[in-house]
Amino acid sequence: MFDPVIAPSGTLLGLLQRGRGDGTLHALTAPRAEALTALNHCVLRDPRHDWQVENRSLYYARLYLDLHGELDEIEAHLFDVVDIFDSEESRTGLSLAVLGHLASYGRRDALALLRRYAATGSNWAWALDELALRDDDAGLRALAAPTLARFATDAEGEAALAVAVRDAFEPRPWRLWADDPRPSIAARVRAARETGCFDRWQRQMRPTGPRPGWSVQAVFEWAQQGMDRGAALHVPAARCLVAVAGPEDRPEILNAAQDGTDGARCTALRYLADGNDSAALDLIEAAVRTGTPVVVDAAVDAFERMRSVAAVDRARGWAHRPDPLGAAAGRMLACRGGVEDRDLVLGALREAVRGEGPDAPTLFTLVDGAGRLGIVCAAPVLRHIYRETASSHLRGRAARALAATDPFFAAGFAVECLWDCEETTREIAARHAETGDTRVVEQLRRLAADPAEEDEVQTAVRSRIGPDGLTA
């Protein structure tokens, strides 16, 4: 996945890249050509840092509808000659998802593009998944022949076909093709489905990894073998220790946590922390001081999972440390601290923004903590994070925290959040936005009537509608 370049938050492009509600509102008042240029830039160059947790497709599709946008740029992007050489999902995935939403809104041109790309494009599986949700049976059946033509009829081709059938996100097309009246189509798909089921059964019957009969030392060696080949196995190894270790093994585990190989040390620290062992906190502190970066990360992660009162007390003492353990202590207090820890959490929040910027991974937990603890003094920092972060997921969490800390949220950011790209953020806005603004009333009604809107958002909208219409 490429690293996107995000424009400043005060520009139309920057707003649209972030998926902010203000991006839609500004685009609708900007010159149409300028708005479409910015919109196409976002759709053709996915601005998300993590597409697995951030949404943009419905947001951009709705804006195409509002602007009556043409799809020429998307078509040129999908069928560019580069598509032959670059099959990465990140190049075309967002464009295909936007087309899928547009097709569900009745845009026949979007449906035609999806069908054409599914038949000829390199990221055909994604396009087929979009069509599986929106196309009719006739349209899907027409894609059977070009799809199967991608796979040779030799043993290698049939094996690849079986993998494609097995891993399909949406099985509807393959089920249709298994009953296709053309014997050549149905027979290949049925055989591929049977092979995929057999492969899955074989994997289940041949589990790998440690067994309950292993010794503690064998588990440590397995974890180190994984680390040697670049696979972090200390978490499953720690779970295995729960099954194989007894009270008599504790000295060996303590020694591994202090002086073992990286794999053994990470495993032992995780095991001791999950069991709230009395020695875990001192060993974690020592690991942060003397361990390799891998061990430090494992130690910090193990500490943050602890639930004991002793761990929270130790976090209060560690919160001022200028190292990863100090940052972890701030996050622990954000999750499990009390009102007496507000100043420490606020300090950690400010320090994270000042030192790492508005996209720092640590902010997710600290922002949640500011909202959970109701830290009113955190509102200015939360507003800054809301405006500047490139992560729509983090912005949504900032919005939730602002709803709990900022008395001006309902008349401010909550209004634009009704147009946000994240459904959880729209849900927060639907519960809090003041209805004195006519735009709010109109958007709430639109969300209530939109079949593409998430159920949670529509439930929140209905909670604002009384017998006499929308309530404040």
Side-chain angles (χ1 to χ4, degrees):
M1 178 68 182
F2 56 85
D3 189 23
V5 177
I6 305 299
S9 61
T11 64
L12 175 59
L13 177 59
L15 290 170
L16 291 178
Q17 287 178 315
R18 289 168 172 79
R20 278 183 56 181
D22 255 6
T24 294
L25 297 175
H26 279 65
L28 295 177
T29 58
R32 181 172 176 273
E34 177 185 342
L36 284 174
T37 297
L39 176 58
N40 285 322
H41 184 283
C42 295
V43 174
L44 306 186
R45 302 169 184 83
D46 193 337
R48 296 171 294 181
H49 286 279
D50 188 349
W51 63 268
Q52 292 181 308
V53 299
E54 294 186 51
N55 298 308
R56 291 292 189 280
S57 55
L58 180 59
Y59 172 84
Y60 293 143
R62 283 172 168 167
L63 190 51
Y64 270 113
L65 291 177
D66 291 339
L67 294 172
H68 304 287
E70 301 84 3
L71 303 181
D72 297 348
E73 293 287 337
I74 294 181
E75 180 179 11
H77 177 70
L78 292 178
F79 299 102
D80 191 285
V81 67
V82 175
D83 192 65
I84 299 174
F85 309 104
D86 186 356
S87 59
E88 289 294 325
E89 291 183 341
S90 58
R91 196 188 81 84
T92 54
L94 180 58
S95 299
L96 295 171
V98 169
L99 290 177
H101 284 299
L102 288 173
S104 69
Y105 281 119
R107 286 282 297 260
R108 302 295 298 179
D109 52 348
L111 184 63
L113 280 179
L114 279 175
R115 288 172 174 171
R116 181 182 161 202
Y117 188 82
T120 63
S122 66
N123 194 11
W124 61 272
W126 191 313
L128 188 60
D129 285 337
E130 296 291 341
L131 289 168
L133 297 173
R134 288 141 179 133
D135 207 354
D136 55 29
D137 288 356
L140 291 175
R141 287 194 179 99
L143 292 170
T147 300
L148 294 185
R150 295 175 180 276
F151 302 93
T153 55
D154 57 14
E156 185 177 348
E158 297 298 349
L161 176 59
V163 171
V165 175
R166 185 193 68 202
D167 296 342
F169 191 75
E170 293 292 341
R172 180 180 163 225
W174 302 101
R175 290 173 180 167
L176 280 174
W177 300 342
D179 296 326
D180 196 281
R182 293 164 289 183
S184 60
I185 298 291
R188 288 192 74 189
V189 174
R190 287 174 184 170
R193 292 178 70 186
E194 290 174 2
T195 301
C197 292
F198 182 71
D199 290 344
R200 190 177 295 110
W201 175 79
Q202 281 189 314
R203 290 201 304 270
Q204 292 170 347
M205 294 297 291
R206 297 174 182 174
T208 59
R211 306 288 196 276
W214 280 24
S215 66
V216 168
Q217 183 59 36
V219 174
F220 287 151
E221 291 173 357
W222 179 70
Q224 183 59 41
Q225 290 167 6
M227 191 161 291
D228 290 341
R229 63 176 185 268
L233 298 178
H234 64 277
V235 174
R239 288 198 297 267
C240 185
L241 278 186
V242 174
V244 306
E248 69 279 5
D249 298 306
R250 185 171 181 269
E252 181 179 1
I253 296 173
L254 292 176
N255 287 335
Q258 186 168 4
D259 299 314
T261 63
D262 282 0
R265 199 171 186 184
C266 293
T267 300
L269 289 169
R270 180 66 170 243
Y271 170 81
L272 294 169
D274 284 354
N276 284 319
D277 189 282
S278 58
L281 291 168
D282 289 337
L283 288 169
I284 287 171
E285 186 173 20
V288 171
R289 184 176 62 253
T290 64
T292 65
V294 171
V295 172
V296 171
D297 289 343
V300 167
D301 184 59
F303 168 65
E304 288 191 66
R305 289 173 51 82
M306 297 183 74
R307 302 291 189 271
S308 65
V309 174
V312 176
D313 285 341
R314 192 70 69 94
R316 294 184 177 113
W318 286 344
H320 298 291
R321 292 174 59 129
D323 63 4
L325 193 54
R331 293 191 295 271
M332 173 169 279
L333 295 177
C335 292
R336 301 179 186 93
V339 293
E340 67 273 23
D341 300 310
R342 286 175 173 173
D343 289 343
L344 291 175
V345 174
L346 177 60
L349 178 66
R350 288 172 172 166
E351 181 61 30
V353 173
R354 184 164 47 243
E356 302 179 59
D359 292 311
T362 190
L363 288 177
F364 286 82
T365 303
L366 295 175
V367 164
D368 288 347
R372 183 182 73 85
L373 297 173
I375 307 176
V376 176
C377 294
V381 183
L382 294 172
R383 293 190 203 110
H384 173 75
I385 295 170
Y386 178 96
R387 293 188 189 97
E388 298 300 327
T389 181
S391 167
S392 57
H393 190 207
L394 177 56
R395 183 178 64 251
R397 295 168 90 146
R400 187 179 298 278
L402 283 168
T405 60
D406 186 359
F408 304 104
F409 176 72
F413 285 139
V415 174
E416 75 155 278
C417 285
L418 287 170
W419 286 266
D420 198 88
C421 66
E422 298 290 343
E423 65 267 16
T424 52
T425 307
R426 296 195 298 274
E427 179 186 352
I428 295 167
R431 297 189 184 281
H432 292 277
E434 289 187 356
T435 55
D437 189 327
T438 57
R439 297 177 303 169
V440 171
V441 176
E442 293 172 358
Q443 181 65 359
L444 287 173
R445 288 172 176 159
R446 178 181 180 179
L447 295 176
D450 191 337
E453 189 50 80
E454 297 292 331
D455 291 341
E456 292 80 3
V457 178
Q458 294 189 326
T459 298
V461 172
R462 285 193 291 271
S463 72
R464 303 292 300 279
I465 300 176
D468 301 321
L470 288 165
T471 59

